[in-house]
């Protein structure tokens, strides 16, 4: 497997859930660095998010995880009417042992 010359990142299920099964982080994501062309190809083929900047990956992870973490950590600040649904992960495709996050498909125009 050839190594990537330029680093890339994607989003995966949060390690606090994958390692410790902490339910607070079940619907949370974190960034994961891609190191090989094979990983890059798998992420692209799966339709997952791809970032060329660590900061952009972290910002996206924060935004995607916000509802789940706010609901768990700050329940008094979250309206019960705020819709939240489970995130989708590719259980069979992992980066560093964490399932790859698959964003929802864009609505048909």
């Amino acid at each position: 497997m050839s190594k990537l010359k330029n680093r890339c990142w994607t989003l995966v299920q949060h390690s606090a859930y994958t390692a410790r099964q902490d339910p607070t982080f079940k619907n949370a994501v974190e960034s994961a660095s891609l190191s090989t062309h094979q990983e890059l190809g798998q992420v692209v083929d799966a339709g997952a998010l791809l970032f060329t900047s660590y900061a952009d990956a972290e910002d996206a992870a924060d935004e995607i995880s916000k509802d789940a973490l706010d609901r768990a950590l700050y329940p008094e600040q979250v309206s019960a009417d705020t819709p939240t649904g489970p995130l989708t992960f590719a259980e069979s495709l992992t980066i560093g042992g964490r399932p790859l996050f698959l964003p929802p498909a864009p609505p048909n125009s």
Side-chain angles (χ1 to χ4, degrees):
M1 288 184 270
S2 61
K3 298 279 184 190
L4 291 173
K5 290 181 183 176
N6 297 317
R7 294 188 72 182
C8 295
W9 292 264
T10 191
L11 300 179
V12 294
Q13 191 166 35
H14 201 286
S15 58
Y17 182 76
T18 58
R20 297 189 317 258
Q21 299 296 301
D22 183 337
T24 303
F25 296 90
K26 183 175 184 176
N27 285 307
V29 297
E30 64 186 355
S31 63
S33 177
L34 304 176
S35 58
T36 67
H37 283 93
Q38 180 179 358
E39 287 177 336
L40 177 62
Q42 290 172 327
V43 167
V44 170
D45 289 348
L49 299 173
L50 185 63
F51 303 91
T52 56
S53 157
Y54 175 74
D56 289 346
E58 284 294 301
D59 288 347
D62 289 346
E63 186 62 32
I64 291 166
S65 300
K66 184 179 184 334
D67 288 341
L69 295 180
D70 282 357
R71 191 172 296 281
L73 301 173
Y74 311 105
E76 70 284 353
Q77 297 178 19
V78 178
S79 167
D81 299 334
T82 303
T84 184
L87 300 181
T88 303
F89 299 95
E91 299 293 333
S92 62
L93 181 54
T94 62
I95 305 294
R98 298 163 295 169
L100 183 65
F101 167 68
L102 299 176
N108 292 337
S109 300

